[in-house]
Amino acid sequence: MSAVPVVEQDLERVIAGRPAVRPAGLDDDALLALHRSLVRLRVYDERSVVYHSQGRIGTYAIFRGHEAIQAGAVHALEERDWIFPSYRESAIGLLRGLPASTILQWWRGHPSGWWNPEEVNVASICVPIATHVPHAAGLAWGLALKESDAVAVAIFGDGATSEGAFHEGANLAAVFRAPLVLLCNNNQWAISTPLRDQTAAERLSDKAVGYGMPAIRVDGNDVLAVHDAVRRGVEHARAGEGPTFVEAVTYRSFPHATADDPSIYVDRERVEAERGRDCVAAYETYLRDLGVLDDEDVQTVREEALAELRAGIQAAEDEAPGDPELVFAHAYADPPPDLARDLEELRRVHER
Ligand SMILES: Cc1ncc(C[n+]2csc(CCOP(=O)(O)OP(=O)(O)O)c2C)c(N)n1
Ligand SMILES: [Mg+2]
């Protein structure tokens, strides 16, 4: 049996900066569209941290530094392809036309923070670690059974690779040759658990060999590298060849979420060094060197993104609060007696 390939990008070379060479298959418009997506995600994240500190959204999972993984992946897909995000990719639906207010409402715990996945081919934001991997594998298998040429991408963290659900989803996808890209955001932390305590494998991409699928390992701070890796996985899947595991290596140099204090477990020098490798700044430098982006363009894109967020939080806050009774709805056709009693109690408290 032939060995399953693990293709590894030369990570050291990329850390030194991407040379100003045009990538094949991406014209100026495509390069700038990718930049706009990176900035929209960055601004969404920056504003969300501020909104949280102002008490306008709840606990929020910060994704600063992960924008290249998210935008790189979305731009490698067609609109008919499906995205299965985790909480770390909460705003990825923006790039598929979801209003910012919808995603902000999700973080506000408002019922309008949920959407119909079929309208944008983006599944609900998944909080239980790795449970969306079997969902994505099943949906991708279903696409193939229906003879669609659409594919699915599931995005999850390094910690997710230790979960049973990851194993089940990856194995099922490989055995049934489901058109799936398993995109691992290896940010080297699962809250306070470092990668070395997560796995004894040298590289997460090595796990793909055990499932019989190819793997690609790239610098997750290099948006073009992620784009190229996911594009190759998508091509492989569309050709009926089954899933690919893509490991995008980055480093979580911001807190896990607004409720986390990493100062007690991270190495501050490492964090500072990693912040210096920012994925948005690196791409802007690359585009400037290519001569397709200038300061004015950067400012315009940023201002548009800020206006989108201002309008988004306004629209979210203008909505009437969700009905608390919804907490009791939709789970049971015939609610058990104790649930009915709890609902009575809720009404009694609200009437006071
Ligand atoms: C099944 C399950 N177990 C535990 C948790 C609590 N939890 C929330 S985030 C997290 C860490 C996940 O780390 P990783 O998969 O690397 O993703 P990252 O947050 O780094 O993007 C854990 C354990 C959870 N959400 N779901
Ligand atoms: Mg992680």
Side-chain angles (χ1 to χ4, degrees), residues 36-49:
R36 185 161 174 268
S37 291
L38 282 176
V39 174
R40 287 175 76 200
L41 291 173
R42 170 62 51 90
V43 169
Y44 181 95
D45 188 67
E46 282 174 357
R47 295 311 302 162
S48 291
V49 173

Side-chain angles (χ1 to χ4, degrees), residues 107-338:
W107 288 107
R108 285 160 58 81
H110 192 284
S112 68
W114 275 259
W115 59 88
N116 178 355
E118 281 185 325
E119 283 173 12
V120 279
N121 290 353
V122 179
S124 309
I125 299 163
C126 186
V127 176
I129 306 302
T131 57
H132 59 318
V133 177
H135 300 165
L139 181 127
W141 182 32
L143 290 170
L145 291 175
K146 289 180 165 177
E147 297 183 2
S148 158
D149 79 335
V151 309
V153 174
I155 316 179
F156 50 88
D158 43 302
T161 64
S162 304
E163 289 283 346
F166 165 77
H167 164 76
E168 290 154 20
N171 192 56
L172 182 129
V175 170
F176 291 106
R177 291 170 93 88
L180 178 67
V181 177
L182 293 158
L183 175 56
C184 180
N185 134 43
N186 178 5
N187 63 14
Q188 308 188 46
W189 289 100
I191 313 184
S192 56
T193 302
L195 185 65
R196 68 174 175 277
D197 291 342
Q198 192 69 249
T199 181
E202 196 184 324
R203 302 173 298 192
L204 291 176
S205 53
D206 290 341
K207 291 178 185 267
V209 178
Y211 298 110
M213 68 175 82
I216 308 174
R217 187 170 191 259
V218 287
D219 182 350
N221 289 14
D222 179 352
V223 68
L224 292 175
V226 176
H227 179 273
D228 188 56
V230 175
R231 184 190 56 76
R232 282 194 274 164
V234 166
E235 272 175 17
H236 187 77
R238 270 204 231 294
E241 301 292 327
T244 298
F245 184 90
V246 175
E247 179 187 357
V249 183
T250 183
Y251 187 87
R252 204 199 73 215
S253 54
F254 289 86
H256 166 75
T258 49
D260 175 39
D261 175 10
S263 66
I264 55 170
Y265 62 83
V266 293
D267 169 358
R268 283 166 198 233
E269 279 181 24
R270 173 84 193 266
V271 165
E272 282 313 310
E274 295 287 347
R275 285 187 186 180
R277 300 187 53 232
D278 177 61
C279 62
V280 179
Y283 190 56
E284 288 180 347
T285 301
Y286 166 79
L287 291 181
R288 281 192 170 98
D289 291 349
L290 263 191
V292 299
L293 187 82
D294 60 24
D295 291 349
E296 208 179 307
D297 300 329
V298 171
Q299 207 185 326
T300 307
V301 172
R302 208 181 145 75
E303 275 167 13
E304 280 172 11
L306 274 167
E308 180 180 22
L309 262 292
R310 274 191 217 106
I313 193 75
Q314 183 73 48
E317 290 180 338
D318 282 349
E319 271 190 78
D323 177 359
E325 292 199 10
L326 278 174
V327 170
F328 294 86
H330 307 306
Y332 294 96
D334 299 312
D338 53 345

